[in-house]
Amino acid sequence: MATTMLHKHRVSVLFSFGRSLFVRLNVLQGEFGLHQKCSGYSRPINTLSASEAIAEIKNMPDESRPMPAKKPISKAMKAYLLQAKNYDEFMKKQNTEFQIGRRHLANIMSMDADTMSQEDIDQAIEFLFPSGLYEPRARPMMKSPELIFPPKKAAEFDESGRPYHSLFYTMNPNFYGLLQDAVTEYIGLNKEEDNMIRKRISFSSDMKIILSGSDWLSQEKLSNLLIEQIDDAQYEQFKNVMLRLAEHPLSNKVKDFIMKYRYSLVNEAALAEIPKPSYEKDGRAYVTFKGARRKNAYADVTVHMPGTGKFLINDCDIEYFQDIQSREQITFPLIFTALLGKVDVTATAIQGGTTGQSGAVRYGLAMALRSFVDDKMVERMRLAGLLQVDWRTRERKKPGQPGARRKPTWKAR
């Protein structure tokens, strides 16, 4: 009985397989036009068995093997692919011109074009084409085309309409690709963590990334970076995933990946370590800041606290600066921090003129006062520009004209 049932089951399976194979051969015959007149076949397709038909198709040469006809491309698809192709050609041309211009600029400045950075290019352009225009975008510049022209998405699918990206149908392939990369990094950190636990290696605080002093990119900046529109829910999802990755005990190993989507909150002056006050024999605290500069002037400033508001600049009092503007320059940091009359200031200024020396003393005084105020006041000083070096200098005279901006009088006759 059991043998009979098994035999019937085998027969039904073979019948189903043969029926599906026959249907498949009929489909092939309809799609590829397989008939007795097709080249490459020894006998008509209807007279071949299933195994013989499959063997015939496999043994056919590539040039005689029938291929499905290509579907016609729509006008919209042609326009899309043409636009993407034109953009790629335009950027390629702009990159070529930029590389040629950088080599010419390097030859003029006697520099190596291969090691010439963007900062070197900006300094060379500023030297060769000095401009006092207030708006930076109106000044001469030479930057990489990727920094000037807004990025555009490349062609996302081929002529047949098949998308290149595996996440194309999510409508935000770059965004979900970013989340997928973050999860991949997290899984890799978990494997390293398991290996360290297995080998009984202790964890240290240096293995975890420090996020202080930076913040995540805003929703708008993230959208521009990914070249996709990100809504509020997706932005929150992005922050949650990245925060979980940053809280991993070994997150410092993927620091480059995390910091790619963060920006610095403070500049180098604010990030500099604030020195702790030293103490004299009488118990007064003092801080010295050396190397403050403005134009060609340099100054060393020492602040004593508590004090009576005494100024000593090059062995003179505040009347060392005769004009009121210079005096207001050096007293502004004290007024801003409400320490006027509570500290004593000793400064030594060299080189430069009155404006340069007063600006150098002001910057050195502001940097020294950081040790006597709280963090909130330091941030307010940074926002007010007290902790930023003033790099402005006198604009040089141009050849062919009397001064930096002055030009000869034009006469019609």
Side-chain angles (χ1 to χ4, degrees), residues 2 5 15 32 84 191 199 202 209 241 244 251 256 285 292 295 308 323 325 336 344:
M5 294 296 295
F15 177 77
F32 298 101
K191 292 181 179 178
K199 297 178 181 178
S202 59
I209 190 173
V241 172
R244 183 172 181 181
S251 57
D256 295 338
K295 293 186 176 180
T308 59
D323 57 317
Q325 182 180 1
F336 189 84
D344 294 337

Side-chain angles (χ1 to χ4, degrees), residues 212-354:
S212 59
S214 62
D215 196 6
W216 298 110
L217 293 177
S218 62
Q219 184 174 342
E220 181 181 0
K221 291 183 178 179
L222 183 63
S223 299
N224 295 335
L225 181 63
L226 298 178
I227 324 178
E228 293 176 350
Q229 277 301 119
I230 307 298
D231 56 25
D232 297 338
Q234 290 174 333
Y235 184 66
E236 289 297 326
Q237 185 181 8
F238 158 77
K239 289 200 298 185
N240 292 335
V241 172
M242 298 300 289
L243 281 174
R244 183 172 181 181
L245 178 62
E247 291 174 358
H248 196 279
L250 302 178
S251 57
N252 200 30
K253 296 192 176 205
V254 292
K255 181 179 179 180
D256 295 338
F257 176 78
I258 295 175
M259 298 306 294
K260 190 189 305 182
Y261 305 99
R262 295 182 67 86
Y263 69 97
S264 178
L265 291 174
V266 293
N267 54 16
E268 296 179 358
L271 289 175
E273 183 179 357
I274 300 176
K276 295 182 180 180
S278 303
Y279 294 90
E280 296 179 342
K281 294 182 179 180
D282 56 357
R284 284 208 310 170
Y286 70 93
V287 173
T288 302
F289 185 84
K290 297 183 179 181
R293 61 171 301 180
R294 170 77 170 93
K295 293 186 176 180
N296 295 327
Y298 294 87
D300 297 338
V301 182
T302 302
V303 177
H304 293 81
M305 188 175 184
T308 59
K310 179 181 178 182
F311 279 89
L312 191 63
I313 304 171
N314 289 348
D315 298 330
C316 299
D317 55 7
I318 197 173
E319 294 182 355
Y320 172 80
F321 298 109
Q322 298 180 0
D323 57 317
I324 298 178
Q325 182 180 1
S326 299
R327 297 179 185 179
E328 292 177 347
Q329 284 283 325
I330 62 176
T331 56
F332 177 70
L334 297 173
I335 297 173
F336 189 84
T337 57
L339 292 178
L340 184 63
K342 299 179 182 179
V343 296
D344 294 337
V345 179
T346 304
T348 302
I350 59 173
Q351 299 181 9
T354 303

